[in-house]
């Protein structure tokens, strides 16, 4: 690109107030309706007037597990989504590449309308299962939630807290045997499973599907559909390889090897330095 | 749950070294192969031996835009994924709910194999379009990338940097008119569009599909399929409402209203306090 075309571009979009999204033309008309969000009323509305949703982060979580549902649920009328961990500050993913900020520590949160527990790699899941502080907090919060939910191996953490006793649930495809062998849980190979007020989702990306279902429970189907359009969720995977029940042994082994290697087992820390925060 | 059942559970999973995922039984057999990752060799391998992928964060980005692709791309053999922003530290999403940590500042990054620019709400997109520091950095990095990519309105930021002149591209459904009217770009209603070494994705969740396609370009189709299985990406949305070309005007207006309201326009800050980091 030449300098002259660059200048031309700069001129064309130099306005600082500009409506990129078509919907902003309707802003004035909609302003009157913003105080009366659609969907059923909430029993105990928090500050935002909608559900108070808390997502538990812990060291080694898988990035998409909390962020997919957070993208969906943060669009619900009046909803707040809060990342929570043992301590405030950055919590790092299983690969070590990315850190998400926990805005609240466990002892700052007593009540939630919705609790979501994400999954993690082997190391993170095992550590969470053996973390009494985490499990006690999950049990305490669960008493008063409207919905207690998990993604991927998050259901193993819920099980370790004793919440899945005698229930049906789902989990990550490679963890289903472990879940059934270790706890009194019947594991169903479904995208998400509802048992009472507990909803468990299958692996990683299943959190998005579960969150849209949860959105319909919280705010009605019409609102959930609007959220689906808002995130343009009309998935078109370039391959048909995501279903473990149809995958051959070679592909499964390759998938698990990628997971293990990306989690740096035997490799030492990733090449970028960890940023210590909080 | 009674205390006795809780104790029983604690006993059953008290081992701190435990294999939750089935694949770990194969770890020993796989150890010998970890130094020879599958897929084509890379011209200039970085520390991890695989592609060095940088994701640009800026204030008001949409959470799933960078995190969906990061989940996918961080699984590639030897890959590193680094979140980058003008300054190191926490960068907050459009809704204000969530912050992701930028590990590197712009002036710390000179070369990347892959650049990904996420989208944002109206405010964030317009600010990025008018941020000369950001646009200069994008142009500079783009000169040497193997792939320069965007998700959602990230293509508008690429266009503002002059990278899409005379090209075909895609963007968020509600931003397509703006992209075509403002820049010399032909907008295609596709999940992702490749033009030379630039790949643009449609809105928000389309970044996952694009990232799997990009994974196949970086590491081969077999590896991309294994990543798809690793994130159990066999999407089953509970509704069929994500396709703007089939959505009625009422649903579109509702979707855009949810976006605007969740971005707090006219509402003031969200109910949880921002955590200042970095």
């Amino acid at each position: 690109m030449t300098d002259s075309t660059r200048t031309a571009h700069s001129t064309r979009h130099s306005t600082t107030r500009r409506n990129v999204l078509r919907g902003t033309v309707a802003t004035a008309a909609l302003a009157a309706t913003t105080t009366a969000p659609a969907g059923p009323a909430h029993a105990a509305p928090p500050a935002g007037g909608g559900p108070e949703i808390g997502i538990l982060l812990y060291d080694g979580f898988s990035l998409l597990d909390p962020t997919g549902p957070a993208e969906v649920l943060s669009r619900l009328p009046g909803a707040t989504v809060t990342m929570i961990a043992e301590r405030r500050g950055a919590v790092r993913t299983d690969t070590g590449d990315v850190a998400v900020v926990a805005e609240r520590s466990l002892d700052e949160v007593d009540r939630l309308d919705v609790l979501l527990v994400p999954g993690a790699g082997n190391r993170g899941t095992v550590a969470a299962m053996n973390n009494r502080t985490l499990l006690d907090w999950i049990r305490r919060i669960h008493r008063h939630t409207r919905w207690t939910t998990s993604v991927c191996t998050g259901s193993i953490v819920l099980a370790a807290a004793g919440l899945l006793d005698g229930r049906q649930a789902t989990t990550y495809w490679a963890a289903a045997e472990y879940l059934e062998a270790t706890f009194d849980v019947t594991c169903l190979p479904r995208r998400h499973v509802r048992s009472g007020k507990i909803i468990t989702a299958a692996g990683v990306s299943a959190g998005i599907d579960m969150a849209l279902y949860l959105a319909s429970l919280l705010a009605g189907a019409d609102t959930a559909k609007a959220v689906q359009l808002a995130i343009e969720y009309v998935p078109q995977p370039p391959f048909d390889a995501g279903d473990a029940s149809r995958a051959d042994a070679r592909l499964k082994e390759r998938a698990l090897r990628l997971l293990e290697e990306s989690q740096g087992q035997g490799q030492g820390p990733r090449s970028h330095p960890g940023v210590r925060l909080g």
Side-chain angles (χ1 to χ4, degrees), chain A residues 239-271:
Chain A
F239 307 102
D240 178 25
D243 186 349
S245 71
R246 293 187 288 118
D248 62 27
R250 195 178 134 276
L251 186 64
K252 286 182 184 176
E253 186 146 314
R254 193 167 194 146
L256 293 168
R257 193 202 308 172
L258 286 177
L259 280 178
E260 292 198 4
E261 290 180 7
S262 65
Q263 289 162 21
Q265 290 171 10
Q267 290 186 342
R270 307 285 285 187
S271 69

Side-chain angles (χ1 to χ4, degrees), chain A residues 80-185:
Chain A
T80 56
V81 174
T82 305
M83 297 292 177
I84 303 162
E86 269 197 274
R87 283 171 294 278
R88 286 193 187 197
V91 184
R92 202 160 284 279
T93 59
D94 58 347
T95 67
D97 281 316
V98 180
V100 175
V101 177
E103 315 275 348
R104 288 271 190 266
S105 63
L106 296 184
D107 54 17
E108 292 178 294
V109 179
D110 287 327
R111 295 283 178 114
L112 290 170
D113 295 306
V114 176
L115 169 64
L116 186 145
V117 178
N122 208 61
R123 177 181 57 82
T125 303
V126 170
M129 287 172 64
N130 287 284
N131 184 330
R132 283 182 169 271
T133 308
L134 223 58
L135 301 185
D136 284 345
W137 181 83
I138 290 171
R139 279 189 286 264
R140 195 164 67 245
I141 293 296
H142 172 66
R143 279 189 212 120
H144 301 287
T145 55
R146 293 166 63 195
W147 302 103
T148 298
T149 70
S150 66
V151 179
C152 201
T153 61
S155 56
I156 293 178
V157 181
L158 292 187
L163 302 191
L164 298 186
D165 286 357
R167 291 183 187 265
Q168 297 184 323
T170 191
T171 190
Y172 188 53
W173 61 266
E177 278 181 22
Y178 177 82
L179 179 59
E180 283 206 323
T182 311
F183 300 98
D184 176 22
V185 175

Side-chain angles (χ1 to χ4, degrees), chain A residues 4-28:
Chain A
S4 62
T5 59
R6 197 177 302 158
T7 306
H9 275 301
S10 300
T11 307
R12 273 197 288 174
H13 63 263
S14 62
T15 315
T16 53
R17 285 183 60 86
R18 180 180 290 276
N19 292 330
V20 173
L21 303 186
R22 202 165 41 187
T24 50
V25 299
T27 304

